[in-house]
Amino acid sequence: MKNFMFKSQLSFVLAGLLSVVVVSCERGFSDEIALATYPDIPEVFTDTPVSLTDQFFVSFDPADGANVNGFNTDIKEAYLGTTSIRLDIPSSKDPQGNFMGGIFLDRNKGRNLTNYDALTFWAKASTTATVGLFGFGTDFEGDTHAAGLSNTLLTTYWRKYTIPIPDASKLVQEKGMFSFSAGTSDTDGLGYTIWVDEIRFEKLGIVAQPLTSIFGGEDTTQTAYTDAVVKTTGITQTVTLGDGSVVTTAIAPGYLDFKTSDPAVAQVNEKGEITVVGAGTATITASLNGVDAVGSMTINSMGRFDLPASPAQAAADVISIFSDAYENVPVDFYNGYWEPYQTTTSADFDVNGDNILSYENFNFVGHQFGSPTVDASQMTHFHFDVFIPGTLPSGAKLKVTIKDFGANGADGGNDDTTQVFTIQSADLAGDAWSSIDVALSLSPKTKIGQLIYENDGSNVTALYLDNVYFYKQ
């Protein structure tokens, strides 16, 4: 069974993974009509896919590293009956992709799942392994009602797993029946096999009031500017099941009702996207089924915000790490949060579609792009734009390190080479963009994999970055 298509990989942070104040949305038709329109079919896969076409599996995008070759059925392994889904997870060095993931899609009109409170399935693996995602609701048409378990431990024997539905009343026409994503981060890069069986929606009877959180359950604060868009992140729900076990899932913003304390300052839509519209202070909160979520975001808007000047270099002469003006190389992270010494937190935003890296509580922060590293042997300069909000502190300076990982790679360390330079106060500005260009003296510069920015003992506690790239002239 290898009939499938692929779509772009879901950035499942539901965050994390983005106008007016949103209140409960009234449907343009009666609930009775909606419930009668779509079939009530709880089974997804038993011995065969239930009410699904042969092309029900849709892979994540190979361009993002997804391997499309390991999906099949197995007539030798099953929890019940004769057949299970077999997922052969590739090794980390497989040239056709180093992880496997995708969705089971109902290609019909969708299903009415309002009578159920959980998706359940049985699974095991050929070795003990942690699976990054199991979920439902991802349909590649907005993923409005996605929900998922992160870092699920599989054993070598069959176990039942449960994913609670945050609000079944919203699932009147659901097409995303099942989703998964698995790699080899805890198997030392070795491939392995997962079997999944008896996938179905059930009515279990959830015990106790669910606890919903936004922004990780914290009351957060962010400085922003007019036209900035801030995404609601850290949306989870914790539920106690009938057997006493506690399950926490990441859930999509579409399950929640959002509210702003001052719509003249900040507004929020049904996707949890907070748009700053004026100067002042506003607090964003949310609820699910009338119960307040824990956590909030207070926006301190400073008013208008100017974007940096558009880069002048031709794309053919640039290797971009972070910029909306160019295609960026693959980046492991823009803030690795290296504990226990780093205090820098991220509060990224975009202004009219231009994405900005925002760092607060700044002591140092790093961008890493080690898979693969960057060959900058033809590049002559390094460029970045930096904005320090507020008045420029006395003695402000910014230390920057460019690191080449050498022949031994990121973990070798003993043959790393670096170029270190310090941007002094005279080249920085408060509440304005400073454009920094530095000639590359690093040798070699064939395996650059890290950029590190340091406070260097000054009083710079926050900064924004944009247009980070190497170029030749």
Side-chain angles (χ1 to χ4, degrees):
M1 182 186 298
K2 291 189 177 180
N3 295 315
F4 51 78
M5 301 173 63
F6 64 82
K7 292 285 185 179
S8 178
Q9 182 185 3
L10 174 67
S11 148
F12 202 80
V13 180
L14 292 178
L17 166 159
L18 253 188
S19 212
V20 297
V21 181
V22 172
V23 295
S24 295
C25 182
E26 297 295 331
R27 301 186 181 278
F29 46 81
S30 72
D31 288 344
E32 289 76 17
I33 294 175
L35 295 177
T37 301
Y38 309 106
D40 179 343
I41 305 174
E43 293 82 12
V44 179
F45 181 91
T46 52
D47 276 339
T48 59
V50 179
S51 295
L52 299 173
T53 68
D54 287 343
Q55 295 189 5
F56 68 91
F57 174 55
V58 187
S59 175
F60 291 143
D61 197 336
D64 293 328
N67 193 312
V68 302
N69 298 315
F71 182 86
N72 219 317
T73 54
D74 195 329
I75 60 174
K76 296 181 179 180
E77 287 282 356
Y79 173 71
L80 287 178
T82 60
T83 310
S84 67
I85 295 288
R86 178 181 174 127
L87 309 173
D88 292 315
I89 309 306
S91 75
S92 61
K93 297 182 179 180
D94 192 315
Q96 298 187 51
N98 59 12
F99 82 98
M100 187 177 182
I103 67 173
F104 293 6
L105 183 66
D106 186 329
R107 295 184 180 277
N108 299 307
K109 292 183 178 180
R111 303 186 187 185
N112 164 28
L113 301 174
T114 57
N115 291 323
Y116 309 101
D117 56 20
L119 173 73
T120 65
F121 60 96
W122 291 79
K124 72 172 188 175
S126 58
T127 186
T128 301
T130 299
V131 175
L133 167 70
F134 283 123
F136 67 88
T138 302
D139 56 13
F140 296 143
E141 296 179 5
D143 308 330
T144 304
H145 298 125
L149 296 174
S150 300
N151 300 322
T152 300
L153 180 65
L154 298 187
T155 65
T156 56
Y157 56 88
W158 288 103
R159 289 182 58 184
K160 187 177 183 179
Y161 298 88
T162 300
I163 306 176
I165 298 174
D167 182 0
S169 69
K170 295 182 180 292
L171 303 186
V172 296
Q173 188 188 5
E174 185 54 55
K175 296 182 180 181
M177 297 292 99
F178 187 68
S179 56
F180 71 93
S181 179
T184 58
S185 60
D186 68 339
T187 60
D188 293 327
L190 299 177
Y192 59 97
T193 299
I194 296 172
W195 292 272
V196 183
D197 200 5
E198 300 300 313
I199 308 171
R200 56 168 48 85
F201 292 90
E202 294 191 61
K203 182 70 172 180
L204 300 179
I206 303 300
V207 177
Q209 177 66 51
L211 174 66
T212 305
S213 298
I214 61 175
F215 298 106
E218 299 292 328
D219 293 320
T220 58
T221 301
Q222 181 168 333
T223 300
Y225 296 83
T226 301
D227 296 329
V229 177
V230 179
K231 298 176 182 178
T232 301
T233 59
I235 307 175
T236 62
Q237 186 181 65
T238 300
V239 171
T240 302
L241 303 179
D243 62 3
S245 61
V246 178
V247 176
T248 297
T249 53
I251 64 174
Y255 284 107
L256 278 63
D257 295 313
F258 292 92
K259 182 179 180 181
T260 176
S261 65
D262 191 343
V265 175
Q267 301 173 0
V268 57
N269 64 16
E270 69 278 1
K271 297 179 181 180
E273 296 169 334
I274 305 164
T275 300
V276 182
V277 295
T281 299
T283 299
I284 307 300
T285 54
S287 62
L288 194 156
N289 278 328
V291 179
D292 290 342
V294 178
S296 65
M297 168 64 77
T298 297
I299 298 290
N300 292 322
S301 172
M302 306 299 290
R304 280 291 150 196
F305 181 76
D306 293 324
L307 294 171
S310 298
Q313 287 74 26
D317 297 330
V318 168
I319 298 175
S320 180
I321 307 303
F322 180 84
S323 177
D324 290 303
Y326 306 107
E327 182 177 352
N328 299 321
V329 300
V331 174
D332 301 332
F333 52 76
Y334 292 107
N335 182 356
Y337 203 78
W338 292 310
E339 296 181 299
Y341 305 107
Q342 183 181 339
T343 60
T344 308
T345 56
S346 291
D348 303 339
F349 60 92
D350 77 72
V351 177
N352 294 326
D354 190 306
N355 291 285
I356 306 295
L357 293 175
S358 172
Y359 299 115
E360 299 180 353
N361 307 305
F362 174 64
N363 64 340
F364 68 91
V365 70
H367 309 336
Q368 182 163 303
F369 35 97
S371 303
T373 54
V374 163
D375 181 356
S377 56
Q378 302 302 310
M379 303 293 109
T380 60
H381 289 75
F382 172 62
H383 172 94
F384 66 98
D385 294 317
V386 57
F387 184 108
I388 299 174
T391 302
L392 187 70
S394 176
K397 53 186 176 179
L398 183 64
K399 180 180 177 181
V400 181
T401 300
I402 305 173
K403 179 177 288 189
D404 187 289
F405 286 155
N408 292 328
D411 298 326
N414 59 357
D415 65 344
D416 290 354
T417 56
T418 61
Q419 177 179 344
V420 181
F421 57 91
T422 299
I423 310 301
Q424 303 291 341
S425 294
D427 296 314
L428 297 172
D431 262 343
W433 286 100
S434 302
S435 188
I436 308 298
D437 292 271
V438 176
L440 287 174
S441 61
L442 182 67
S443 180
K445 50 184 177 180
T446 56
K447 292 187 177 181
I448 298 177
Q450 213 169 68
L451 297 169
I452 302 172
Y453 308 85
E454 298 180 60
N455 198 326
D456 201 27
S458 67
N459 294 318
V460 176
T461 59
L463 58 82
Y464 309 145
L465 294 177
D466 198 5
N467 300 319
V468 181
Y469 57 83
F470 302 97
Y471 68 95
K472 62 181 177 180
Q473 68 176 23

